[in-house]
Amino acid sequence: MFLSHLLAYFTLSTVKDSKKETMTVATDDTVLPIVDLSGYINPKSPEDKERVIAEVRDACARYGFFQVKGHGVPLKMQEGLIQGLSNFFSQPREEKLKLSFLKNPCRRGYEASGDSLREGDAHPDSKEAFYIGREDPVVEPPGFYGPNQWPPNLPEEAFHAPVWSYYQNTNALGRTIWEILLQGLGHPTSVLDVFAQRPIVQMKMIRYPPASATKPGQFGVGAHTDFGGVTVLLQQAGKEGLEVWSEAKAEWLPVPSIEDVLVINCGDMIQKWSGGRYKSAKHRVINKADEERLSCATFWHGDSGATNPLDPADENRDTVGQLLFKRFGKQFSLSKGVGV
């Protein structure tokens, strides 16, 4: 289906066959580690940075996921974003559809509930979403760079201002996570000077409907792995739903929604480029509460023309843009100039 494959670019995910997974959810005290990034961002000693690098390296090697506090994204900014999402998604459906991402050459804007159906799932995802990226004045083929579209009927302070502030802060955080991942494999942070001069950074804002508004067996988001680089996820505090698949335990690990704690994970590109030293783990969302759930994911990939920073000796010289285009190229309105 065109729509189901189209959504892959925005989530930048790879679909896994859900029939191969059990529905077992972890019931013990197994939780993803929480890393305090303040030791890296504001270290009091060289050992502080080394400790954070080691903790992130170990978490990515074991789970492909971890949680962070001390990340530098102010709580008030997170709350402002959540309110902005509520303001947008509470609009009438016809108003949101005027900003449909299906009509946008950069595939930015609104995705309606039911637009994404993953192989092996009985029903389409119940979520609805809104996508933005870096703000560039013109569309550049094949659509990785270009302008955003914003809801014209919402005041600046009701949506654009809080959303853009949060985007800029998680853009910076995504770069910090890449720095840490590089050092975890013995590379200097200067690698980013080449890899990330003009990084592709997409942000996906999501609303999951109440459980009573979904069909039996319908996921908020079906099981998948993120396709690209680093994902920074904000979950609305106290609204559970995210689950990560543990290969070692063969069960789903629920990820709690904790105030001022963000979730970080690696995508398939990082797993490939690290030679498997960092994992890309399957995850899904099931909103089990009878109230809406809001979240926001920022995907940080690097420059369209950048090659593998985790192994500079890699003989495969595929760029970020080429890898994305090879996988998702048919979904763009533009077809030439992939930033090589």
Side-chain angles (χ1 to χ4, degrees):
M1 292 178 62
F2 174 78
L3 292 180
S4 65
H5 292 298
L6 177 64
L7 266 293
Y9 170 68
F10 294 95
T11 59
L12 292 177
S13 62
T14 297
V15 176
K16 303 293 184 180
D17 187 350
S18 61
K19 294 179 180 178
K20 295 179 181 178
E21 301 155 7
T22 70
M23 295 299 289
T24 304
V25 178
T27 56
D28 59 11
D29 60 353
T30 303
V31 294
L32 297 178
I34 298 180
V35 178
D36 186 351
L37 291 183
S38 64
Y40 183 88
I41 297 172
N42 297 298
K44 293 182 171 56
S45 70
E47 290 76 19
D48 288 346
K49 273 197 167 187
E50 291 303 318
R51 183 184 66 255
V52 172
I53 292 169
E55 289 177 357
V56 170
R57 180 184 62 235
D58 293 347
C60 290
R62 183 176 181 184
Y63 299 104
F65 267 81
F66 59 100
Q67 303 171 90
V68 293
K69 61 181 182 178
H71 42 66
V73 181
L75 179 58
K76 287 292 185 184
M77 183 175 292
Q78 300 170 47
E79 294 170 341
L81 173 76
I82 292 296
Q83 182 58 57
L85 269 58
S86 180
N87 294 339
F88 175 79
F89 288 119
S90 64
Q91 295 182 107
R93 176 181 170 85
E94 58 270 20
E95 287 297 320
K96 293 180 285 188
L97 285 174
K98 291 177 182 178
L99 297 171
S100 174
F101 75 126
L102 299 176
K103 303 173 184 176
N104 185 274
C106 293
R107 296 297 187 259
R108 300 183 190 180
Y110 176 67
E111 171 204 339
S113 176
D115 277 353
S116 179
L117 176 62
R118 287 177 163 78
E119 181 183 353
D121 288 350
H123 305 287
D125 291 347
S126 66
K127 73 178 187 306
E128 56 181 320
F130 192 84
Y131 303 88
I132 66 168
R134 57 177 293 131
E135 195 74 79
D136 291 293
V138 296
V139 177
E140 299 179 30
F144 298 140
Y145 301 107
N148 293 307
Q149 55 175 343
W150 300 95
N153 56 334
L154 289 179
E156 170 75 12
E157 66 276 9
F159 188 71
H160 180 273
V163 166
W164 192 245
S165 293
Y166 181 83
Y167 174 87
Q168 290 177 309
N169 270 256
T170 50
N171 181 357
L173 177 58
R175 183 185 177 98
T176 297
I177 299 299
W178 266 100
E179 282 186 6
I180 295 171
L181 293 176
L182 283 164
Q183 292 173 89
L185 296 182
H187 304 300
T189 60
S190 59
V191 171
L192 280 176
D193 295 338
V194 175
F195 180 69
Q197 296 180 40
R198 199 181 175 208
I200 297 172
V201 182
Q202 302 282 31
M203 194 165 87
K204 174 182 178 181
M205 295 156 274
I206 312 166
R207 175 189 177 269
Y208 300 96
S212 60
T214 62
K215 301 174 182 178
Q218 185 177 30
F219 297 106
V221 175
H224 66 284
T225 58
D226 290 348
F227 174 76
V230 165
T231 302
V232 178
L233 176 69
L234 169 65
Q235 304 186 89
Q236 189 175 12
K239 303 290 184 72
E240 313 299 335
L242 175 63
E243 298 174 351
V244 176
W245 180 252
S246 169
E247 293 287 353
K249 292 180 145 310
E251 62 186 8
W252 290 100
L253 306 180
V255 182
S257 300
I258 307 171
E259 184 177 73
D260 206 21
V261 171
L262 303 177
V263 180
I264 310 293
N265 67 280
C266 299
D268 295 346
M269 195 165 64
I270 286 181
Q271 178 171 289
K272 171 183 171 64
W273 277 352
S274 68
R277 287 171 286 182
Y278 293 144
K279 290 183 178 178
S280 175
K282 285 181 293 186
H283 50 287
R284 67 185 185 184
V285 177
I286 305 173
N287 185 14
K288 300 173 183 177
D290 202 17
E291 56 184 349
E292 72 173 14
R293 178 181 186 271
L294 302 172
S295 69
C296 182
T298 305
F299 305 98
W300 210 102
H301 306 297
D303 292 4
S304 176
T307 55
N308 186 355
L310 299 174
D311 182 7
D314 189 348
E315 294 182 359
N316 187 323
R317 306 307 291 168
D318 282 346
T319 66
V320 171
Q322 287 170 335
L323 289 171
L324 293 175
F325 193 77
K326 282 179 181 179
R327 190 166 191 87
F328 308 115
K330 293 180 181 179
Q331 300 148 17
F332 289 91
S333 300
L334 305 171
S335 59
K336 298 180 180 178
V338 189
V340 293

